[in-house]
PDB file of all heavy atoms in Angstrom:
ATOM      1  N   ASN A  27      -0.114  31.320  -8.362  1.00  0.00           N
ATOM      2  CA  ASN A  27      -0.581  30.353  -7.299  1.00  0.00           C
ATOM      3  C   ASN A  27      -1.901  29.544  -7.704  1.00  0.00           C
ATOM      4  O   ASN A  27      -2.595  29.062  -6.890  1.00  0.00           O
ATOM      5  CB  ASN A  27      -0.833  31.181  -6.085  1.00  0.00           C
ATOM      6  CG  ASN A  27       0.358  31.712  -5.495  1.00  0.00           C
ATOM      7  OD1 ASN A  27       1.510  31.311  -5.766  1.00  0.00           O
ATOM      8  ND2 ASN A  27       0.277  32.804  -4.648  1.00  0.00           N
ATOM      9  N   ASP A  28      -2.178  29.668  -8.956  1.00  0.00           N
ATOM     10  CA  ASP A  28      -3.404  29.056  -9.469  1.00  0.00           C
ATOM     11  C   ASP A  28      -3.459  27.510  -9.261  1.00  0.00           C
ATOM     12  O   ASP A  28      -2.465  26.935  -9.241  1.00  0.00           O
ATOM     13  CB  ASP A  28      -3.689  29.396 -10.905  1.00  0.00           C
ATOM     14  CG  ASP A  28      -3.957  30.890 -11.091  1.00  0.00           C
ATOM     15  OD1 ASP A  28      -3.894  31.714 -10.100  1.00  0.00           O
ATOM     16  OD2 ASP A  28      -3.956  31.334 -12.361  1.00  0.00           O
ATOM     17  N   GLY A  29      -4.627  26.995  -9.401  1.00  0.00           N
ATOM     18  CA  GLY A  29      -4.864  25.470  -9.527  1.00  0.00           C
ATOM     19  C   GLY A  29      -5.026  24.834  -8.163  1.00  0.00           C
ATOM     20  O   GLY A  29      -4.580  25.455  -7.083  1.00  0.00           O
ATOM     21  N   ASN A  30      -5.479  23.683  -8.155  1.00  0.00           N
ATOM     22  CA  ASN A  30      -5.455  22.936  -6.823  1.00  0.00           C
ATOM     23  C   ASN A  30      -5.722  21.410  -7.218  1.00  0.00           C
ATOM     24  O   ASN A  30      -6.189  21.007  -8.263  1.00  0.00           O
ATOM     25  CB  ASN A  30      -6.606  23.400  -5.903  1.00  0.00           C
ATOM     26  CG  ASN A  30      -7.687  24.074  -6.542  1.00  0.00           C
ATOM     27  OD1 ASN A  30      -8.527  23.432  -7.214  1.00  0.00           O
ATOM     28  ND2 ASN A  30      -7.781  25.483  -6.435  1.00  0.00           N
ATOM     29  N   THR A  43      -4.035  20.340  -1.858  1.00  0.00           N
ATOM     30  CA  THR A  43      -3.127  21.390  -1.898  1.00  0.00           C
ATOM     31  C   THR A  43      -3.547  22.638  -1.148  1.00  0.00           C
ATOM     32  O   THR A  43      -4.674  22.845  -0.943  1.00  0.00           O
ATOM     33  CB  THR A  43      -2.723  21.797  -3.350  1.00  0.00           C
ATOM     34  OG1 THR A  43      -4.097  22.190  -3.974  1.00  0.00           O
ATOM     35  CG2 THR A  43      -2.104  20.755  -4.206  1.00  0.00           C
ATOM     36  N   PRO A  44      -2.470  23.336  -0.548  1.00  0.00           N
ATOM     37  CA  PRO A  44      -2.939  24.531   0.212  1.00  0.00           C
ATOM     38  C   PRO A  44      -3.296  25.740  -0.567  1.00  0.00           C
ATOM     39  O   PRO A  44      -2.931  25.748  -1.739  1.00  0.00           O
ATOM     40  CB  PRO A  44      -1.667  24.836   1.008  1.00  0.00           C
ATOM     41  CG  PRO A  44      -0.501  24.272   0.160  1.00  0.00           C
ATOM     42  CD  PRO A  44      -1.090  23.183  -0.649  1.00  0.00           C
ATOM     43  N   THR A  45      -3.910  26.656  -0.114  1.00  0.00           N
ATOM     44  CA  THR A  45      -4.386  27.801  -0.852  1.00  0.00           C
ATOM     45  C   THR A  45      -3.236  28.785  -0.965  1.00  0.00           C
ATOM     46  O   THR A  45      -2.340  28.951   0.036  1.00  0.00           O
ATOM     47  CB  THR A  45      -5.591  28.492  -0.144  1.00  0.00           C
ATOM     48  OG1 THR A  45      -5.956  29.573  -0.926  1.00  0.00           O
ATOM     49  CG2 THR A  45      -5.289  29.092   1.243  1.00  0.00           C
ATOM     50  N   GLY A  46      -3.203  29.454  -2.009  1.00  0.00           N
ATOM     51  CA  GLY A  46      -2.297  30.613  -2.147  1.00  0.00           C
ATOM     52  C   GLY A  46      -0.706  30.302  -2.273  1.00  0.00           C
ATOM     53  O   GLY A  46       0.040  31.178  -1.965  1.00  0.00           O
ATOM     54  N   VAL A  47      -0.389  29.028  -2.676  1.00  0.00           N
ATOM     55  CA  VAL A  47       1.004  28.893  -3.044  1.00  0.00           C
ATOM     56  C   VAL A  47       1.088  28.310  -4.421  1.00  0.00           C
ATOM     57  O   VAL A  47       0.233  27.847  -4.952  1.00  0.00           O
ATOM     58  CB  VAL A  47       1.564  27.703  -2.149  1.00  0.00           C
ATOM     59  CG1 VAL A  47       1.354  28.036  -0.605  1.00  0.00           C
ATOM     60  CG2 VAL A  47       1.002  26.400  -2.432  1.00  0.00           C
ATOM     61  N   LYS A  49       1.736  25.899  -7.117  1.00  0.00           N
ATOM     62  CA  LYS A  49       1.705  24.529  -7.063  1.00  0.00           C
ATOM     63  C   LYS A  49       2.909  23.896  -7.762  1.00  0.00           C
ATOM     64  O   LYS A  49       3.084  22.658  -7.746  1.00  0.00           O
ATOM     65  CB  LYS A  49       0.344  23.936  -7.801  1.00  0.00           C
ATOM     66  CG  LYS A  49      -0.964  24.607  -7.224  1.00  0.00           C
ATOM     67  CD  LYS A  49      -0.976  24.855  -5.832  1.00  0.00           C
ATOM     68  CE  LYS A  49      -2.256  25.502  -5.182  1.00  0.00           C
ATOM     69  NZ  LYS A  49      -2.516  26.838  -5.421  1.00  0.00           N
ATOM     70  N   SER A  76      -6.992  24.490   0.082  1.00  0.00           N
ATOM     71  CA  SER A  76      -7.455  25.238  -1.142  1.00  0.00           C
ATOM     72  C   SER A  76      -8.774  25.912  -0.939  1.00  0.00           C
ATOM     73  O   SER A  76      -9.757  25.338  -0.362  1.00  0.00           O
ATOM     74  CB  SER A  76      -7.611  24.351  -2.354  1.00  0.00           C
ATOM     75  OG  SER A  76      -8.321  24.937  -3.386  1.00  0.00           O
ATOM     76  N   SER A  77      -8.913  27.138  -1.453  1.00  0.00           N
ATOM     77  CA  SER A  77     -10.123  27.979  -1.420  1.00  0.00           C
ATOM     78  C   SER A  77     -11.175  27.249  -2.252  1.00  0.00           C
ATOM     79  O   SER A  77     -12.415  27.615  -2.176  1.00  0.00           O
ATOM     80  CB  SER A  77      -9.863  29.399  -1.892  1.00  0.00           C
ATOM     81  OG  SER A  77      -9.427  29.349  -3.246  1.00  0.00           O
ATOM     82  N   GLU A  78     -10.802  26.393  -3.095  1.00  0.00           N
ATOM     83  CA  GLU A  78     -11.755  25.713  -4.006  1.00  0.00           C
ATOM     84  C   GLU A  78     -12.104  24.263  -3.439  1.00  0.00           C
ATOM     85  O   GLU A  78     -12.602  23.414  -4.118  1.00  0.00           O
ATOM     86  CB  GLU A  78     -11.197  25.517  -5.474  1.00  0.00           C
ATOM     87  CG  GLU A  78     -10.957  26.791  -6.110  1.00  0.00           C
ATOM     88  CD  GLU A  78     -12.227  27.499  -6.547  1.00  0.00           C
ATOM     89  OE1 GLU A  78     -13.309  27.173  -6.041  1.00  0.00           O
ATOM     90  OE2 GLU A  78     -12.048  28.469  -7.394  1.00  0.00           O
ATOM     91  N   HIS A  97      -7.753  20.762 -10.708  1.00  0.00           N
ATOM     92  CA  HIS A  97      -8.303  21.953 -11.208  1.00  0.00           C
ATOM     93  C   HIS A  97      -7.173  22.831 -11.731  1.00  0.00           C
ATOM     94  O   HIS A  97      -6.255  23.050 -11.069  1.00  0.00           O
ATOM     95  CB  HIS A  97      -9.147  22.757 -10.141  1.00  0.00           C
ATOM     96  CG  HIS A  97      -9.408  24.167 -10.603  1.00  0.00           C
ATOM     97  ND1 HIS A  97     -10.038  24.432 -11.713  1.00  0.00           N
ATOM     98  CD2 HIS A  97      -9.067  25.344  -9.910  1.00  0.00           C
ATOM     99  CE1 HIS A  97     -10.121  25.840 -11.826  1.00  0.00           C
ATOM    100  NE2 HIS A  97      -9.694  26.390 -10.763  1.00  0.00           N
ATOM    101  N   HIS A  99      -5.915  25.960 -15.055  1.00  0.00           N
ATOM    102  CA  HIS A  99      -6.319  26.988 -16.017  1.00  0.00           C
ATOM    103  C   HIS A  99      -5.499  27.000 -17.152  1.00  0.00           C
ATOM    104  O   HIS A  99      -4.863  27.921 -17.564  1.00  0.00           O
ATOM    105  CB  HIS A  99      -6.141  28.480 -15.213  1.00  0.00           C
ATOM    106  CG  HIS A  99      -6.727  28.664 -14.061  1.00  0.00           C
ATOM    107  ND1 HIS A  99      -6.416  29.635 -13.077  1.00  0.00           N
ATOM    108  CD2 HIS A  99      -7.829  28.042 -13.389  1.00  0.00           C
ATOM    109  CE1 HIS A  99      -7.142  29.700 -12.005  1.00  0.00           C
ATOM    110  NE2 HIS A  99      -7.964  28.655 -12.213  1.00  0.00           N
ATOM    111  N   PRO A 136     -15.370  31.997  -7.664  1.00  0.00           N
ATOM    112  CA  PRO A 136     -14.504  31.094  -6.983  1.00  0.00           C
ATOM    113  C   PRO A 136     -14.697  30.927  -5.439  1.00  0.00           C
ATOM    114  O   PRO A 136     -15.017  32.092  -4.796  1.00  0.00           O
ATOM    115  CB  PRO A 136     -13.177  31.482  -7.374  1.00  0.00           C
ATOM    116  CG  PRO A 136     -13.341  32.330  -8.620  1.00  0.00           C
ATOM    117  CD  PRO A 136     -14.751  32.936  -8.524  1.00  0.00           C
ATOM    118  N   HIS A 160     -13.154  30.756 -16.353  1.00  0.00           N
ATOM    119  CA  HIS A 160     -12.389  30.417 -15.343  1.00  0.00           C
ATOM    120  C   HIS A 160     -11.278  29.377 -15.561  1.00  0.00           C
ATOM    121  O   HIS A 160     -10.134  29.701 -15.509  1.00  0.00           O
ATOM    122  CB  HIS A 160     -13.363  29.959 -14.114  1.00  0.00           C
ATOM    123  CG  HIS A 160     -12.619  29.546 -12.758  1.00  0.00           C
ATOM    124  ND1 HIS A 160     -13.268  29.330 -11.662  1.00  0.00           N
ATOM    125  CD2 HIS A 160     -11.249  29.370 -12.500  1.00  0.00           C
ATOM    126  CE1 HIS A 160     -12.323  29.081 -10.676  1.00  0.00           C
ATOM    127  NE2 HIS A 160     -11.177  29.057 -11.191  1.00  0.00           N
TER     128      HIS A 160
HETATM  129  P1  LIG B 301      -6.108  28.055  -4.285  1.00  0.00           P
HETATM  130  O1  LIG B 301      -4.723  28.426  -4.178  1.00  0.00           O
HETATM  131  O2  LIG B 301      -6.977  28.604  -3.118  1.00  0.00           O
HETATM  132  O3  LIG B 301      -6.303  26.483  -4.456  1.00  0.00           O
HETATM  133  O4  LIG B 301      -6.824  28.665  -5.500  1.00  0.00           O
HETATM  134  C1  LIG B 301      -6.212  28.606  -6.748  1.00  0.00           C
HETATM  135  C2  LIG B 301      -7.292  28.789  -7.896  1.00  0.00           C
HETATM  136  O5  LIG B 301      -6.941  28.489  -8.950  1.00  0.00           O
HETATM  137  C3  LIG B 301      -8.689  29.166  -7.601  1.00  0.00           C
HETATM  138  O6  LIG B 301      -9.428  29.051  -8.734  1.00  0.00           O
END
Side-chain angles (χ1 to χ4, degrees):
N27 296 339
D28 297 353
N30 27 71
T43 51
T45 185
V47 307
K49 306 323 177 286
S76 167
S77 59
E78 298 288 15
H97 165 54
H99 305 159
H160 182 166

